[in-house]
Amino acid sequence: MIPPTSVHVQATQRDVYYSVGVRQTGNLKESIAARHGCDSLAAQAVAELEQFLTTPAFRQTRGYRAFYRKVLTGMSILYPHAPASAKFKMAQESIDDCVHGGYLRVLQALAVPSGGKHVSFAQEFAHSYGASLSEALLFGPGGGAVRELLAFVAAEKTHGMHRPDLHPNPHLSDETQKCWHHAEKTSGWPTWVNTDGEETPFDPSEERSPLSKEAVDQLQSLWRRNPALRDYTGAQRLSGDTPYQIIEDALDVLISQDSSPLDPAERARYTGIVAEANRRGIDPFYAAYAALCRVTLRRCWNQARRWLYDYSIVLWETQNQLWLNEGKRVPAQGVVYKPARVTARPPKHRAVPGTIYRNHGRYWWVVARKMKPRPLIDPQTKKKVPGTIFQDHGRYYWVVSRVLKRQRLVPPGEKFSTTDRATAERIAYQKWQQLRRENPTLAARILQRRQGQGLATQDRARAEKIAACLWQQMQRDDPDLAAKILQDNRPRARNHWYAQLVVKGKHRCLGSFTSRK
């Protein structure tokens, strides 16, 4: 405050505020007027936008209702497990902030040199869809409210997350740095510090999938790890784990016997290696295989496998003898005749050969090893124009992926692509007919692609009817392929003679033969 003096007795007292580090930017509306003029289209759009937001009726417009659904979708992305009532409440609380933030983004877009073009595009979009200019600027493609919503969702998704190799600002307080360290990271779990200040293994709750270190250590004590398997702990069972461990146990029993292939010095060394490996928690057989003579240990491994194989034969013979004593199995010896199985009833006749199967919700028809899979496309829903008619910045284009590049759908007498879907489809159909006349080779290549055929049906009954029509058409147009499909290449059931021998109670099957001789 300036103190009154004899010179400034009549001067008005006023407060003077000084700011340090504030960005020197002028008013956005003044920048728009200075850059484009007070009577420009951008300045008029700003006045219309302010009047639009001050009127409560703007909440009943079509653009606002569509934007409300987008905000509700954003809340579902951020909080997928929240109930519907909570999502509606959060959407109602956030939509006003998004609309007002979108208003500022519109002013920023108009304050640049290309602001006039932005208004022209919004005006053309509003005219095409029967909306006001303010709706197009806020809720249209690239509108301010839409961009504000995207920024809000992105900021909320990454809120409080950081990479594990980053560090907080050293000038922050200890409490702030502690909160930063305990925040969620983009990968891995944070370390847990107990009351004594020591780092302990993190023990997640039952709902989380990662196992605690205590559980992993317990699994390591139950399962022998193999460094060749990258310290596999047995949390997910691998094929062959149990059989290999049975052979290793048999090898250990073989070496510990008096008739061991190893001499006493190698046996003592083997015992020491196994004890040290068990103490360190690594695979004992891997440690012995790396330290001892591999040729000798491989011979012991093969002998242990022979032990187990002979023991399995003994078990099988014992079980077979029990079945013979109980009358569950009849002893067979010599040549046994087994006639071909005769089915009780002939196979059911099908209207369409092959298989009608479902792939990603749509039905296909295939005959194994005779015909490639064919989509069952409904002729009523088949597209008149192959490829895709898509919209980009409010205007429609036609493209066939990897064959035909983007084609502009320009109506006669205009310079730019149309903004009407029906007009775009009509122009694309005309272009397609012209392409078929002028370049039949390219047209045939397009029709061979799946995009040119359309999508298969999702109705099972309709798929069966389409497959029947395709089968009739194939029999009429391609009789050679139809005859190949109807040809049955499976071997016919024949009578067989099985030769078996029984020697000292042991049964051996010599094979199956087509004749008794």
Side-chain angles (χ1 to χ4, degrees):
M1 177 179 295
I2 302 177
T5 59
S6 57
V7 181
H8 301 84
V9 176
Q10 303 298 330
T12 304
Q13 297 181 3
R14 61 187 180 89
D15 294 333
V16 180
Y17 298 94
Y18 298 93
S19 62
V20 179
V22 179
R23 185 180 178 184
Q24 299 294 330
T25 56
N27 192 308
L28 289 175
K29 292 189 290 185
E30 295 178 358
S31 301
I32 294 173
R35 184 179 296 275
H36 303 289
C38 298
D39 298 334
S40 62
L41 188 60
Q44 296 176 6
V46 172
E48 183 178 346
L49 184 59
E50 289 182 348
Q51 184 179 2
F52 175 76
L53 292 177
T54 55
T55 305
F58 84 93
R59 301 180 186 275
Q60 306 300 327
T61 58
R62 183 177 57 181
Y64 182 86
R65 293 196 301 269
F67 180 69
Y68 178 79
R69 290 192 293 269
K70 293 181 180 179
V71 175
L72 188 60
T73 304
M75 295 302 163
S76 301
I77 295 174
L78 293 175
Y79 311 102
H81 303 294
S85 58
K87 295 177 184 177
F88 279 108
K89 184 177 180 181
M90 289 185 290
Q92 293 175 356
E93 294 175 354
S94 304
I95 189 170
D96 290 339
D97 295 338
C98 292
V99 171
H100 295 138
Y103 166 71
L104 296 179
R105 288 182 178 271
V106 171
L107 295 182
Q108 293 174 358
L110 299 182
V112 297
S114 61
K117 296 182 180 179
H118 184 73
V119 178
S120 301
F121 173 77
Q123 193 174 25
E124 184 179 355
F125 177 83
H127 179 70
S128 301
Y129 287 88
S132 62
L133 178 60
S134 302
E135 286 185 70
L137 289 173
L138 284 174
F139 312 121
V146 177
R147 288 184 291 146
E148 182 69 18
L149 175 62
L150 295 177
F152 170 75
V153 173
E156 288 297 320
K157 288 285 288 185
T158 58
H159 180 68
M161 300 179 68
H162 54 267
R163 296 184 180 275
D165 55 347
L166 299 179
H167 300 280
N169 191 340
H171 300 290
L172 299 177
S173 62
D174 296 339
E175 188 68 19
T176 304
Q177 294 188 27
K178 182 179 179 180
C179 294
W180 193 94
H181 281 297
H182 289 177
E184 183 182 3
K185 297 182 177 65
T186 55
S187 63
W189 293 96
T191 57
W192 180 263
V193 181
N194 57 12
T195 56
D196 298 332
E198 300 176 353
E199 293 186 357
T200 58
F202 183 72
D203 188 10
S205 59
E206 296 179 356
E207 292 79 12
R208 296 180 178 177
S209 57
L211 296 174
S212 62
K213 192 172 181 180
E214 293 87 351
V216 174
D217 293 340
Q218 188 67 18
L219 287 172
Q220 291 177 3
S221 62
L222 296 176
W223 289 80
R224 290 166 288 186
R225 293 190 300 171
N226 188 347
L229 299 179
R230 299 179 182 178
D231 292 337
Y232 164 64
T233 59
Q236 294 179 348
R237 188 182 295 268
L238 296 175
S239 61
D241 275 353
T242 303
Y244 281 134
Q245 290 190 9
I246 292 175
I247 300 176
E248 293 172 9
D249 294 338
L251 182 142
D252 188 72
V253 173
L254 175 64
I255 293 178
S256 61
Q257 292 182 350
D258 296 335
S259 58
S260 171
L262 302 181
D263 54 23
E266 291 181 342
R267 191 189 313 171
R269 186 182 177 190
Y270 170 82
T271 304
I273 293 174
V274 171
E276 179 66 17
N278 291 330
R279 187 184 65 82
R280 295 173 54 188
I282 62 177
D283 187 6
F285 177 78
Y286 180 83
Y289 188 77
L292 296 177
C293 178
R294 299 187 178 184
V295 177
T296 306
L297 206 60
R298 190 180 296 114
R299 185 169 63 251
C300 296
W301 175 274
N302 294 332
Q303 186 173 349
R305 290 187 61 183
R306 173 59 58 183
W307 272 17
L308 294 174
Y309 176 76
D310 294 340
Y311 182 65
S312 65
I313 294 297
V314 172
L315 292 179
W316 184 85
E317 296 293 348
T318 305
Q319 181 66 48
N320 188 63
Q321 188 64 36
L322 292 176
W323 284 343
L324 292 175
N325 297 336
E326 295 175 358
K328 296 181 179 180
R329 179 173 295 178
V330 179
Q333 186 174 3
V335 177
V336 180
Y337 172 73
K338 291 186 178 181
R341 181 183 300 179
V342 179
T343 57
R345 51 187 177 181
K348 183 179 179 181
H349 175 72
R350 293 183 297 178
V352 179
T355 305
I356 298 176
Y357 67 97
R358 192 177 183 181
N359 184 19
H360 294 289
R362 301 187 180 276
Y363 287 96
W364 294 63
W365 175 42
V366 66
V367 180
R369 295 182 295 276
K370 295 180 181 180
M371 184 188 73
K372 292 183 179 180
R374 297 188 179 185
L376 299 177
I377 304 171
D378 191 354
Q380 299 179 358
T381 60
K382 190 172 182 180
K383 298 186 297 184
K384 297 181 180 180
V385 180
T388 306
I389 299 176
F390 67 98
Q391 189 179 21
D392 186 12
H393 294 288
R395 300 188 179 277
Y396 286 95
Y397 300 89
W398 174 44
V399 66
V400 180
S401 178
R402 299 183 181 180
V403 179
L404 187 66
K405 64 180 182 180
R406 176 190 294 196
Q407 302 290 321
R408 299 171 61 242
L409 303 177
V410 182
E414 297 187 11
K415 296 182 180 180
F416 304 102
S417 297
T418 181
T419 58
D420 181 54
R421 176 72 185 190
T423 306
E425 294 178 355
R426 185 175 66 254
I427 299 174
Y429 180 76
Q430 295 174 0
K431 283 181 171 290
W432 167 239
Q433 297 300 329
Q434 181 181 358
L435 179 64
R436 296 181 65 179
R437 292 192 304 268
E438 298 177 356
N439 195 347
T441 305
L442 180 60
R445 182 183 174 189
I446 292 175
L447 289 177
Q448 290 177 356
R449 300 179 63 84
R450 190 175 300 173
Q451 284 186 339
Q453 301 175 6
L455 298 177
T457 182
Q458 296 178 338
D459 184 16
R460 174 70 187 191
R462 187 61 182 168
E464 294 177 354
K465 294 180 181 179
I466 298 172
C469 295
L470 289 178
W471 171 238
Q472 295 177 2
Q473 181 182 358
M474 183 184 298
Q475 288 178 318
R476 182 178 62 253
D477 300 339
D478 196 351
D480 295 338
L481 179 59
K484 179 182 177 182
I485 291 176
L486 291 177
Q487 184 180 0
D488 190 2
N489 297 329
R490 292 177 297 180
R492 302 297 178 182
R494 294 181 299 178
N495 301 330
H496 283 269
W497 282 263
Y498 291 87
Q500 300 183 13
L501 295 178
V502 179
V503 180
K504 297 181 181 180
K506 295 183 179 181
H507 295 258
R508 290 291 182 269
C509 180
L510 301 182
S512 172
F513 304 91
T514 57
S515 64
R516 184 181 180 85
K517 183 178 180 180

